[in-house]
Amino acid sequence: MDTFLSSLPELSERDLLRRLRNAVREANNEMPESVAWASWIELDRRGVGNATGTFISTLKHLHNRRAMGVAELSIDDPHLDEHRLTDDRLLSELWRAYKRCLRDHRTGPAWHLLCEIEERLSA
């Protein structure tokens, strides 16, 4: 496990929520979606109730920024196995496909996957 993921359990819930909300600033030349995902996984593991709503909101904001091209967001993805952080196999596959679409600059299909992720997390 790399240092990015191994340091998350040491952070407070407040710091994790800040990382989740500010994923763009927290991402060091990597996909901010990865920062949001890892932060959400740790918050969800701790049972923080508002983490899922914040996660989806952050992803939608990042997606809109990518789709409109208003900001240069990294597509570097050093965490290719991060989808395995969840035990939910469907969610894991949706996340992997979502990131693949983003890396390939396919924001249309990525939006549909994001909607499926949101639906899965709402269930």
Side-chain angles (χ1 to χ4, degrees), residues 32-120:
E33 290 83 359
S34 289
V35 172
W37 172 259
S39 300
W40 173 74
I41 290 286
E42 181 61 24
L43 288 164
D44 188 58
R45 185 186 67 74
R46 294 182 190 184
V48 177
N50 62 339
T52 299
T54 303
F55 174 62
I56 293 299
S57 176
T58 297
L59 288 182
K60 286 180 176 181
H61 176 73
L62 289 169
H63 189 86
N64 288 336
R65 289 181 69 178
R66 283 189 189 279
M68 293 187 301
V70 296
E72 201 59 39
L73 298 175
S74 178
I75 57 168
D76 290 341
D77 190 13
H79 311 290
L80 297 176
D81 289 334
E82 73 182 6
H83 64 282
R84 294 184 178 152
L85 293 174
T86 182
D87 293 332
D88 183 331
R89 293 185 76 170
L90 178 57
L91 180 61
S92 175
E93 290 303 314
L94 288 170
W95 183 252
R96 189 168 77 161
Y98 176 70
K99 283 184 48 181
R100 188 178 314 124
C101 284
L102 294 180
R103 285 192 311 265
D104 294 341
H105 303 285
R106 299 178 63 222
T107 57
W111 176 256
H112 293 289
L113 289 165
L114 180 54
C115 291
E116 287 185 46
I117 291 168
E118 180 179 21
E119 185 177 311
R120 181 74 181 171

